[in-house]
Amino acid sequence: MFNVLDFLFPRHCAVCGTVLHRSEQHVCIRCFMDMPRTLYHIDEHSRLEKNYWGKIPIVRAAALMKYTESFKRIIHSLKYDGNTTIGEYFGSLAAQEIKDASTFFSDIDCIIPLPLHWHRQLHRGYNQCYYIARGIRKVTHLPILTGVVRRVIDNESQTHLTHEERQRNVQDIFRCTHPERLRGKHILIIDDVITTGATTTSCALSILRALGDYTDDGLNIRSSVRVSILALAIAE
């Protein structure tokens, strides 16, 4: 059936720019099929999960796709073009594909979207990770917890920093304000793009410190929380 709105206001693929058919959402079928999926969720211990070993009590870690030159346009559209619906769509897509192929979500209790500093969120108008989390919630029905962790330092962008600079740049930028709501939980931290994992590690550590599970000597033998991490993309 002819759609007048599609004729007057054609929608375009976020990756290649071609006009979308009525049945296509955000990306054309060709780009959907060509998406560089990581398939980390089907690995017993993914490369991303191993990145967190010895740093936080990680259970699982996965990302939907690789952050390639073409497909990073999806993240750009979400973060800088105000396209929050693309975040929900790919959050749902990630959750559905992971749920269909693994037990990744089986014992997770809640979702924590990586928070933005209030100044950056005010400027942007929204937290992109929250919309990814909303998409995941549609599939998993897991509750989203906001406000339990705050970003208290508006650190500079990680884009052009070295590995060592990234680690220093995110130290102590988060504060867990309601640790009692997380004690004994298996939490899922949501990010848009993971590079070194320094930011998600810092977020998890803020929770562990608030619960008394982290000291200068490292993690205690018993941890009050378990952590899993999911991102839309990973930069390799």
Side-chain angles (χ1 to χ4, degrees):
M1 181 181 294
F2 178 74
N3 189 313
V4 175
L5 289 178
D6 281 345
F7 176 76
L8 295 175
F9 307 101
R11 299 172 301 117
H12 296 86
C13 174
V15 177
C16 70
T18 59
V19 175
L20 295 175
H21 295 292
R22 186 175 58 176
S23 61
E24 296 172 333
Q25 298 186 61
H26 299 291
V27 294
C28 66
I29 188 63
R30 181 169 184 172
C31 288
F32 181 87
M33 299 301 295
D34 288 343
M35 186 187 305
R37 291 167 169 82
T38 68
L39 302 180
Y40 285 162
H41 54 281
I42 64 175
D43 294 336
E44 183 177 1
H45 299 293
S46 71
R47 184 184 69 80
L48 181 58
E49 177 191 321
K50 293 176 182 178
N51 182 59
Y52 294 97
W53 284 3
K55 302 173 184 176
I56 57 175
I58 191 73
V59 180
R60 309 177 192 103
L64 173 64
M65 60 184 169
K66 298 176 183 178
Y67 191 66
T68 63
E69 190 63 32
S70 295
F71 282 83
K72 71 180 184 181
R73 295 169 187 162
I74 292 169
I75 305 298
H76 190 284
S77 180
L78 168 61
K79 291 179 70 171
Y80 305 116
D81 295 339
N83 191 356
T84 56
T85 58
I86 202 170
E88 285 199 46
Y89 172 77
F90 278 96
S92 294
L93 176 66
Q96 193 63 63
E97 291 192 359
I98 290 172
K99 185 179 179 182
D100 287 346
S102 72
T103 57
F104 187 94
F105 298 106
S106 61
D107 58 351
I108 290 172
D109 297 300
C110 57
I111 303 170
I112 298 179
L114 200 69
L116 285 179
H117 187 269
W118 69 267
H119 185 267
R120 190 169 300 188
Q121 183 160 335
L122 182 65
H123 180 265
R124 184 172 294 167
Y126 59 94
N127 177 3
Q128 70 276 6
C129 292
Y130 172 72
Y131 285 93
I132 298 170
R134 278 179 48 156
I136 295 169
R137 181 177 62 185
K138 287 181 180 179
V139 174
T140 65
H141 308 295
L142 293 168
I144 299 173
L145 299 187
T146 58
V148 294
V149 179
R150 292 191 300 116
R151 198 168 190 145
V152 294
I153 297 176
D154 190 12
N155 59 314
E156 64 177 298
S157 171
Q158 300 273 84
T159 305
H160 302 294
L161 301 181
T162 66
H163 178 84
E164 291 74 18
E165 288 171 339
R166 287 171 185 266
Q167 306 300 316
R168 293 193 298 271
N169 189 44
V170 297
Q171 284 183 356
D172 303 320
I173 65 172
F174 298 101
R175 181 173 301 152
C176 180
T177 53
H178 295 284
E180 73 282 354
R181 297 178 61 185
L182 303 178
R183 189 177 300 277
K185 302 292 188 182
H186 181 179
I187 63 175
L188 177 64
I189 297 175
I190 302 301
D191 200 357
D192 51 2
V193 182
I194 289 177
T195 303
T196 64
T199 306
T200 43
T201 297
S202 181
C203 180
L205 288 177
S206 73
I207 297 169
L208 295 166
R209 289 192 182 99
L211 289 168
D213 291 342
Y214 185 84
T215 66
D216 292 337
D217 297 327
L219 295 178
N220 291 343
I221 295 175
R222 299 180 66 180
S223 178
S224 300
V225 295
R226 295 182 298 152
V227 180
S228 286
I229 292 169
L230 178 58
L232 280 192
I234 180 169
E236 297 181 317

